[in-house]
Structures are given as C-alpha cells and as structure tokens.
Amino acid sequence: MQTASNPRSTVQIAGHPVHVMLVPFVIAFYTGCFAADLAFAYTGDEFWARGAYVLLITGVAASALAATVGLLDFLFEPRIRALNAAWWHFAGNAAAALVSIVDLYLRWREGAAAGSHDYMWMSLVVFLLLLFNGWMGWSMVYKHHVGVADA
C-alpha cells in the first residue's frame, strides 16, 4: 500500500501508476519511427517510409492516451504540480506531441513515402525530446518518489 508521504498517481491499477505503463509504448513507436526514417534515408526503400508513417500514427495515438492519464495525475495531485521536473516533463511531452501531430499531417498530405526524407528531422526532434522527457520522468520517480510506495 502506498503511503501518503510521496506524491501519488491518481490514475492507477492496484496501486500501480497507469501513466508509467503506457509510456514505453510511446517511446517504442516514436523511436521506431525515427529508426525507420533513418533506414529509408539510407536504403531508399519505401517500405521504411511506410513503416515510419504507421509508427508515427500509432505513436500519436499512444501519446494521446498516455498524455491524458499523465495530465490527470498532474492536475489532481498538487504535490506533482509543485515539482519543477513535472513542469518540464509536461512541457517537453506537449512539444513532442505537437511536433508529431504536425509531422503526421505533413506526411499524410504528401503521402507516406514522399514526406519521409523531408520530415525526418521532426522524428529526430521528437526522439531527442523523449530523452529529455525520460530524464525528467526519472527525476520525478527516483528523486521525488512520485508514485512510489515507501513500504
């Protein structure tokens, strides 16, 4: 059982924060998109461009779900909002989502394969934001014990 001494997640299953369960999917999809963009740039094989497009779609969908749960934790736990790392995590994830949505729109407009070369820099920016956001999330859990039981 989680004690009241640590900030707690408001959306949880059996005491386990749901946001933390969803984040690995977001990381995998966006990292896979960047890797597929690199593969397309190297090989020119449109398979990789289509793969990047599908990974971007699933990344945006998974991100929407993880962001919704994370936002609920952020809004309903004042001790989370009091953390500087939480604000940076929030802002970094919002930026990654915005870049990904723009990237998805541009690729959709031009066709999955056509836009992959032109917009690969966006998947790189998102990948770099994921590294920063992970660092801030790590800080929240391991330094500030957000969602961690003392028992």
Side-chain angles (χ1 to χ4, degrees), residues 54-131:
V54 170
L55 286 163
L56 184 57
I57 291 168
T58 54
V60 168
S63 178
L65 186 57
T68 301
V69 173
L71 182 62
L72 291 172
D73 287 344
F74 185 80
L75 292 175
F76 293 116
E77 176 55 83
R79 292 178 293 171
I80 292 175
R81 283 194 316 278
L83 300 173
N84 193 37
W87 286 93
W88 282 107
H89 186 71
F90 176 80
N93 283 316
L98 182 61
V99 170
S100 295
I101 290 167
V102 170
D103 187 8
L104 180 59
Y105 170 73
L106 293 172
R107 290 179 196 232
W108 170 78
R109 187 184 70 190
E110 294 187 21
S116 195
H117 277 304
D118 297 334
Y119 306 115
M120 184 172 70
W121 66 271
M122 287 192 217
S123 62
L124 171 62
V125 168
V126 170
F127 177 74
L128 294 173
L129 282 167
L130 288 176
L131 294 174

Side-chain angles (χ1 to χ4, degrees), residues 26-43:
V26 176
I27 294 168
F29 292 140
Y30 285 151
T31 301
C33 177
F34 178 55
D37 277 344
L38 289 175
F40 177 61
Y42 181 72
T43 67

